Every structure is written in C-alpha cells, then in structure tokens.
Amino acid sequence: MVLAIIGVAVIIAGQLQAQGSEGWYIEEVSLGLGLAILVLTVVFPAIREVEFGFPSGVKISAAFQNREEELGKAFESQKGDLELYAQLLCEDPALSADLLEAAWAKTAATWRGPVTPELRFYVLCLFVHLLDSHHRWVTPVARNRPPGDGGPVSTTPLNALSLDERIVVVLREFVDLPSTQIAALTGRPLAAVRQDLQTARAVLDQSNGNGGSP
C-alpha cells in the first residue's frame, strides 16, 4: 500500500513540475519511475523468498517466507498415512523410512503447487520411483562365478558396475538428472555418459533376465 501511494505521488509530482522546455523530460521520468513503483507493488507480494548474496550471508525473506513451514506442517499431518502406504509397498521398515524421507525431501525442494492434502500423492509417486530404482539396482541377485571359483555369489546389479557406470546410474535413476546434466557434473563427454548408461542397463537386464548368469 505504501509503495502504491509513493508511486502515485511521484507521477503527480512529475505532472506538476513539467514546465518549461525540459518539462516533457521531467514528466516522462516521473511517469516511468511512478509506474515502476506501482509494478513493484504487484510483483513484490508474489515473491515467496528473495535472497541477496551479501558477503555476510544476510538473508532477506519476502511475503512467503513460511513456505517451508507450510510444507512441514502438511507432511506432519499426513505422515501417518504416508508411513502406512510406504510400509505396505516396502517390507523393509528401515528402507521404507529412508525412501519416504528422501521422497519428502525431494518434494519440499521441487513442489510448486498449493499445499493441500493432494500433496501426498506427489510424495507417493516419488517414493514408488525410488523404491522401484532401489529394487532394480540394489536388490542382491545370484551371479555365477567362473568355473573353478566356487558356486554362485550374491551381489547387486549396482555393485557389478564400474565406478563411472555406477555414478551415471545413481544420478540418472535415483537423482533423476538428465544425461546432459550428468555429463556437466562429472566433466565427461555426453556420449560416454550415454554409453555407460546403456552398458549398465544391459547388466541389469542380464541379471534379471538370465537368472544372474554372466
């Protein structure tokens, strides 16, 4: 409200001072400045949080600084239902809790919609995605050893990968980063990242489709 009054006052003052040969200049400047202030009165309330990178780490929060608190309250109110659904989907209580926490953390970082009860469906979608990726990549499977080295050994598809392949899989399947961002993050060519992902998925298919035979 104060900004709106100031904006109108600047425009009126410019109109009153617009006299003489340079009057048009004063009028134009005052009009532009006044309109800019009025625009701020509309835009500023829509900003949830504005942070300025001052050296001292000063953080200036605008009208919607309670967004994180709203999300936290929503999660607490739905936590019982979410934990029940998660435990029904995953028989390992510790894993269920870890994946649910990860799903909620990702929700808090990415959700831009209204904070309503429907938020839990988004959390569950992320939970199911993480659970599916964990099941496919981290569940142990039996893999045959070379002849003379003993019987089958239990390992996971993720552990069967090279370090580069493992990094690509984790960033793609669990973090949901596209290949272009993975290449930028790891400093590797995009073609190499895509090749590692293709190789890793072949290892996964081999483990699941051929009963763990190499």
Side-chain angles (χ1 to χ4, degrees):
M1 178 64 70
V2 175
L3 283 177
I5 294 174
I6 294 175
V8 173
V10 169
I11 294 175
I12 294 175
Q15 297 290 331
L16 295 176
Q17 293 294 327
Q19 299 177 359
S21 59
E22 296 183 356
W24 66 270
Y25 178 77
I26 296 175
E27 181 179 1
E28 292 292 332
V29 171
S30 62
L31 179 61
L33 182 58
L35 289 176
I37 295 174
L38 289 175
V39 169
L40 280 178
T41 65
V42 176
V43 174
F44 191 74
I47 302 174
R48 293 201 70 89
E49 188 173 75
V50 180
E51 295 183 6
F52 297 91
F54 296 139
S56 60
V58 176
K59 183 177 179 180
I60 301 178
S61 298
F64 301 117
Q65 60 183 349
N66 294 327
R67 170 77 172 183
E68 186 174 345
E69 294 180 6
E70 293 175 5
L71 288 170
K73 290 179 181 178
F75 179 67
E76 287 299 322
S77 67
Q78 303 176 36
K79 187 175 181 180
D81 288 342
L82 288 172
E83 287 179 342
L84 174 60
Y85 303 150
Q87 290 170 9
L88 291 173
L89 290 167
C90 177
E91 60 184 13
D92 185 339
L95 176 61
S96 172
D98 289 344
L99 294 181
L100 181 58
E101 183 178 351
W104 177 253
K106 185 174 291 188
T107 298
T110 60
W111 181 255
R112 294 295 178 267
V115 182
T116 64
E118 285 69 28
L119 185 63
R120 63 180 176 176
F121 298 126
Y122 185 75
V123 179
L124 285 174
C125 286
L126 294 178
F127 176 86
V128 169
H129 171 71
L130 290 172
L131 179 62
D132 178 65
S133 296
H134 188 279
H135 177 75
R136 289 187 296 117
W137 291 101
V138 187
T139 301
V141 294
R143 297 178 61 86
N144 293 331
R145 294 178 176 176
D149 287 348
V153 60
S154 180
T155 185
T156 69
L158 202 59
N159 286 338
L161 304 177
S162 68
L163 178 59
D164 286 340
E165 293 166 352
R166 185 176 183 131
I167 291 173
V168 169
V169 166
V170 170
L171 294 179
R172 181 68 188 93
E173 298 289 335
F174 292 87
V175 187
D176 283 334
L177 292 183
S179 298
T180 52
Q181 289 190 19
I182 296 174
L185 182 64
T186 58
R188 303 178 60 215
L190 179 59
V193 169
R194 288 175 172 168
Q195 180 60 50
D196 281 347
L197 188 58
Q198 182 178 354
T199 301
R201 285 173 173 165
V203 170
L204 177 65
D205 292 340
Q206 188 179 58
S207 297
N208 295 335
N210 296 331
S213 60

